Amino acid sequence: MLKHIHMPYLVRALCGATIGFLIALYVVNTYFGGSLNFIVWTSIVLGAAAGIYLFRR
């Protein structure tokens, strides 16, 4: 059987930040015309925090 793989905090943060970046980029380009960069940066930070929390196993 597969054993649990321990992901380091950096990998978890990068996975979450990437997901947050892609979602924010889609939302900003679709609804705001690409003019709200603070939403992208905020989503990267929140995605990194969520990645550490959600990928804890």
Side-chain angles (χ1 to χ4, degrees):
M1 303 302 293
L2 292 174
K3 294 182 179 181
H4 290 286
I5 298 172
H6 178 70
M7 292 173 63
Y9 286 113
L10 180 65
V11 174
R12 289 187 249 176
L14 287 175
C15 288
T18 302
I19 293 168
F21 172 73
L22 292 175
I23 291 172
L25 199 62
Y26 171 75
V27 169
V28 167
N29 284 332
T30 302
Y31 298 109
F32 299 108
S35 62
L36 295 175
N37 288 331
F38 72 93
I39 291 178
V40 175
W41 288 109
T42 305
S43 297
I44 289 172
V45 172
L46 291 176
I52 290 173
Y53 178 74
L54 292 175
F55 297 125
R56 65 184 178 266
R57 289 189 174 201

